[in-house]
Amino acid sequence: MDLNAIIENMETSDQDAALMALQTYNKKMTRCFTFTTDEEEQRERLGELVLGFLERDLQPSCQLACLETIRILSRDKNNVAPFITHTAMQTLSRHAGIAISHGNVDCEGSVVLVPFAENPDLEVIVEALKSICNICLHNKVAVQVGQDLQLIVGIAERLKQCGEDQWNHYVRFFDLRLMFLLTAQRVAMRTQLLRELRGVSLLSNHLDATLGLYWPDTFEVGRAGVEVDPDSEEPAELPPLSREKIERAMEILKILFNITYDANRREVDEEEAAAFRHLGAILRHCLMSSTDAQDDTEEFHSHSLNLLGNLPLSCLDVLLMPKVQQGSIEYMGVNMDAVNMLLEYMEKRLDRGKKLKETMLPSLNLLTESARIHRETRKFLRMKVLPPLRDVKNLPEVGNALRNKLVRLMTNIDTDVKNCAAEFLFVLCKESVSRFIKYTGYGNAAGLLAARGLLRGGGNPGVYSEDEDSDTEEYREAKSQINPVTGRVEDEQPNPMEGMTEEQKELEAMKLVNMFDKLSRSNIIQPMMLGSDGSMTQMNSGDLRRMRDQIPQGQQLHLQTQLRLEPQQQEEQEEHQKQQQDQQQQQGSGSEDEDEGEVE
């Protein structure tokens, strides 16, 4: 049955004829996701007719068929015009059960949802939600209409019923998917969800219910139904989460990321801090959880890490709050399971070497900030990443230890990756320039030190606790022989100037100066110097003249010819040198005449 025949059946307004025609069309197009320009007008007309049918009192099977047709038609991003009007979106939201009654609130002050039936059909709700998701994904006007209709308020009201069994996985999932699409595209809806609807607490509670958590302590989380054996030396192994729970949990995490994107850059009050700490404790549990599928586990952990990076730094202490139990990783009396997991996660992404900026940086940044504000975390990470130095023969970037891998990143072509790796190691060194150079070599460290104006050393090391910097016996013995630029003991190299006379050495030096001068004049390189603040600055002709004045008088003549002066200054200098040479020649001729006269 072609589209024209289906439209003819719809125009009769007979439910049975329309139902049969729509079911035929839906079955044929169920796997169609791309549309050509052919029959574009017919598809638009069909959409208008289906929306008109939904305004009538239909039997459930006809309602479902109409919504399935809209879901299929809304896949065509170039032909959603019939569905983006206020009337159309209102109709769909009513069938989805998220339309709100404007101006009406219940006795507790909650918004009243407008039910489209006393006994809602979950399949109808899911089809309506899928259609709205498609429309909002493809059209910005629809998102604005959704904002006008306060769809996010309707979704939030239903999310409060997360503990009720009447809503199945699909209703809950597409509620969350629609909320994500709305908050991803409209700042106003992000703010509304965060402020007016208390989104952090609302979604944290929904995540809590989705994962089935219980709270043995204020910031300590457990999984309901998981028994802990007090006599076991191994930590209680959490059962894998089901695919449905993981899917809903990841949607919640993405929404929370949208509404907390600036939380770590602003001041938060006590109430917000408590909500963020509660969320941080749940995220810690997420990091320690897994699924049956490895890919799902990695994606789940990635979303958890991204969200942890949004939390205020003062709230990250919840990562260290769980009590030390049998089998836990303990350091200085603190449970380091979460920190160790973050470190292992970061190293795995580093070893893969793909999309480091997207996959590795969130965990690396999180470790850096945690180490900066928590003494126990910093010392634990330093023990793992920068243990006492024993290998003094190899370059710091050579080897398979985590320190070697991170030092290699310090010269990565991606500026963000390079800076983050350097910052992490610098914090583990308590921002001590000498210690940083010790572990990375001056050459690798120069980028961060130059950016901070620390090439001369010194600087403010920040507020860090005192700890021992115990050198190994191998390091103490070789310390005097270590090349600070490369960070290792170099093999003795033959002196390239051995056997040369002073004149030959001076000639080679002048060749080198000439080459630098030629490259500088061609703007291939730019001469630089170390400024008084420790940062690199460009050299100009005045700087070169000052350097010349500091050279002993006998060597200035050779250097003068190499100074990069302005064209007028260059001409004046060449004229002056020519006059000097003419005078010397005249004086030389007179001396010879006088000598010859005396001999006679």
Side-chain angles (χ1 to χ4, degrees):
M1 186 181 294
D2 62 9
L3 268 176
N4 291 322
I6 294 172
I7 291 172
E8 289 178 3
N9 283 314
M10 295 290 295
E11 288 175 339
T12 64
S13 298
D14 181 66
Q15 280 198 47
D16 293 334
L19 175 60
M20 184 177 297
L22 291 179
Q23 286 178 338
T24 302
Y25 179 78
N26 295 342
K27 185 177 181 180
K28 176 184 176 182
M29 303 294 289
T30 185
R31 297 292 181 186
C32 179
F33 293 92
T34 57
F35 298 84
T36 63
T37 55
D38 300 338
E39 300 182 328
E40 195 171 274
E41 292 182 1
Q42 291 92 324
R43 288 197 299 271
E44 186 172 340
R45 175 59 180 162
L46 178 60
E48 293 171 351
L49 291 170
V50 171
L51 283 170
F53 257 71
L54 287 175
E55 293 292 342
R56 297 165 51 184
D57 185 15
L58 302 176
Q59 57 187 346
S61 58
C62 193
Q63 281 181 342
L64 184 61
C66 288
L67 290 166
E68 286 177 346
T69 302
I70 293 177
R71 172 173 56 83
I72 292 170
L73 293 174
S74 63
R75 294 171 181 168
D76 183 5
K77 62 182 179 180
N78 298 317
N79 196 28
V80 293
F83 312 124
I84 62 176
T85 65
H86 281 72
T87 302
M89 292 286 285
Q90 180 70 24
T91 299
L92 291 173
S93 64
R94 183 167 55 84
H95 283 79
I98 56 175
I100 63 172
S101 176
H102 292 280
N104 295 329
V105 294
D106 60 16
C107 57
E108 297 180 354
S110 298
V111 175
V112 177
L113 298 180
V114 179
F116 72 90
E118 292 183 1
N119 299 310
D121 187 325
L122 297 185
E123 286 186 293
V124 170
I125 293 176
V126 170
E127 287 298 327
L129 286 171
K130 287 180 179 179
S131 299
I132 299 174
C133 285
N134 283 347
I135 296 165
C136 290
L137 176 64
H138 295 317
N139 192 277
K140 293 182 178 181
V141 174
V143 179
Q144 180 61 53
V145 174
Q147 181 178 331
D148 297 340
L149 296 176
Q150 296 287 291
L151 296 188
I152 201 165
V153 178
I155 301 171
E157 287 301 315
R158 191 152 65 195
L159 290 182
K160 294 178 182 178
Q161 307 169 16
C162 57
E164 299 182 11
D165 295 332
Q166 63 172 316
W167 309 115
N168 62 19
H169 162 70
Y170 297 102
V171 173
R172 292 172 177 172
F173 175 79
F174 285 105
D175 272 346
L176 294 166
R177 172 59 61 85
L178 180 55
M179 181 175 277
F180 167 71
L181 290 172
L182 294 174
T183 56
Q185 300 184 68
R186 279 289 185 276
V187 175
M189 282 192 271
R190 291 201 289 266
T191 304
Q192 182 182 14
L193 178 58
L194 177 65
R195 300 296 183 190
E196 296 178 19
L197 304 175
R198 298 182 178 274
V200 173
S201 296
L202 172 67
L203 292 165
S204 296
N205 292 336
H206 199 66
L207 183 58
D208 187 328
T210 299
L211 299 177
L213 306 180
Y214 79 99
W215 297 80
D217 204 348
T218 305
F219 295 116
E220 190 167 350
V221 189
R223 185 88 60 79
V226 178
E227 297 183 359
V228 179
D229 184 2
D231 298 327
S232 175
E233 295 184 358
E234 296 294 328
E237 185 174 350
L238 297 172
L241 293 165
S242 68
R243 179 68 180 270
E244 291 184 349
K245 288 184 176 180
I246 282 291
E247 286 179 344
R248 298 203 304 272
M250 287 195 290
E251 292 300 317
I252 296 171
L253 294 175
K254 291 192 293 184
I255 300 167
L256 282 166
F257 182 86
N258 286 345
I259 66 176
T260 62
Y261 69 99
D262 64 342
N264 60 2
R265 299 190 296 271
R266 60 179 174 82
E267 294 291 332
V268 294
D269 55 29
E270 292 184 6
E271 183 179 355
E272 283 185 299
F276 283 131
R277 278 196 168 88
H278 179 80
L279 175 59
I282 299 176
L283 293 177
R284 182 189 185 279
H285 181 82
C286 292
L287 292 175
M288 310 305 293
S289 302
S290 63
T291 68
D292 291 326
Q294 181 64 25
D295 291 343
D296 289 341
T297 300
E298 291 188 0
E299 187 178 359
F300 184 48
H301 288 170
S302 177
H303 287 306
S304 302
L305 279 169
N306 290 338
L307 181 53
L308 264 176
N310 281 359
L311 300 190
L313 297 180
S314 59
C315 299
L316 296 180
D317 55 356
V318 294
L319 298 177
L320 309 178
M321 283 188 176
K323 299 181 182 69
V324 177
Q325 300 175 350
Q326 289 285 350
S328 297
I329 298 176
E330 178 187 358
Y331 188 78
M332 299 177 68
V334 177
N335 188 322
M336 288 292 172
D337 288 343
V339 176
N340 189 68
M341 185 273 166
L342 289 173
L343 188 64
E344 291 179 350
Y345 179 93
M346 183 269 293
E347 187 170 9
K348 286 179 183 178
R349 300 303 174 279
L350 176 55
D351 290 340
R352 289 181 184 176
K354 297 179 180 178
K355 297 182 178 179
L356 293 178
K357 189 172 182 177
E358 294 81 5
T359 61
M360 187 198 71
L361 287 200
S363 55
L364 186 57
N365 284 330
L366 192 59
L367 288 170
T368 301
E369 298 305 326
S370 298
R372 197 190 302 275
I373 63 175
H374 297 129
R375 175 174 176 262
E376 296 85 359
T377 299
R378 175 178 54 79
K379 299 189 99 175
F380 174 77
L381 290 174
R382 185 179 172 195
M383 177 189 70
K384 291 282 188 177
V385 181
L386 299 178
L389 196 57
R390 298 182 183 278
D391 183 6
V392 293
K393 296 292 185 181
N394 293 316
L395 293 169
E397 60 267 29
V398 174
N400 293 320
L402 185 52
R403 173 179 77 102
N404 308 131
K405 299 173 185 177
L406 289 169
V407 172
R408 284 198 289 273
L409 283 186
M410 293 171 64
T411 54
N412 192 279
I413 58 174
D414 189 306
T415 304
D416 290 334
V417 172
K418 174 178 66 175
N419 292 341
C420 287
E423 183 73 15
F424 177 58
L425 294 176
F426 195 48
V427 169
L428 294 190
C429 293
K430 299 200 304 183
E431 301 187 25
S432 166
V433 174
S434 59
R435 188 177 299 168
F436 186 49
I437 293 173
K438 167 185 171 181
Y439 283 101
T440 66
Y442 190 85
N444 294 316
L448 180 139
L449 298 180
R452 293 192 171 210
L454 296 175
L455 285 174
R456 292 179 179 268
N460 183 8
V463 180
Y464 290 95
S465 60
E466 294 292 334
D467 60 2
E468 295 181 0
D469 185 23
S470 55
D471 291 334
T472 62
E473 184 176 347
E474 295 90 338
Y475 180 79
R476 283 196 298 268
E477 290 178 355
K479 186 175 181 180
S480 60
Q481 305 169 18
I482 293 176
N483 184 335
V485 174
T486 60
R488 69 167 179 179
V489 175
E490 301 284 353
D491 295 333
E492 291 188 8
Q493 300 292 330
N495 186 355
M497 292 190 176
E498 186 175 356
M500 288 186 180
T501 63
E502 293 300 323
E503 290 78 8
Q504 289 174 324
K505 293 178 182 179
E506 186 175 349
L507 179 61
E508 293 297 325
M510 295 312 302
K511 286 181 181 179
L512 184 62
V513 172
N514 282 328
M515 286 189 288
F516 274 110
D517 183 65
K518 184 177 180 181
L519 291 173
S520 178
R521 289 176 183 273
S522 304
N523 292 320
I524 297 176
I525 64 170
Q526 170 62 54
M528 305 291 287
M529 63 181 294
L530 196 61
S532 58
D533 60 351
S535 61
M536 300 299 293
T537 57
Q538 294 184 3
M539 294 184 69
N540 54 37
S541 57
D543 297 321
L544 289 170
R545 283 195 297 273
R546 281 192 293 273
M547 291 179 60
R548 179 197 62 190
D549 294 339
Q550 296 174 2
I551 298 175
Q553 189 68 27
Q555 301 177 20
Q556 287 188 13
L557 181 60
H558 298 287
L559 183 61
Q560 283 177 351
T561 60
Q562 309 305 325
L563 289 180
R564 185 178 181 181
L565 303 176
E566 298 298 329
Q568 182 179 358
Q569 294 174 323
Q570 185 78 16
E571 292 175 1
E572 293 175 355
Q573 185 187 51
E574 291 175 355
E575 182 66 26
H576 178 67
Q577 290 178 353
K578 185 177 180 181
Q579 292 176 359
Q580 286 184 332
Q581 291 174 357
D582 292 340
Q583 291 176 1
Q584 289 176 356
Q585 290 176 358
Q586 293 174 2
Q587 292 174 357
S589 300
S591 298
E592 289 176 0
D593 292 340
E594 292 176 0
D595 290 342
E596 289 175 358
E598 289 178 355
V599 170
E600 291 178 355

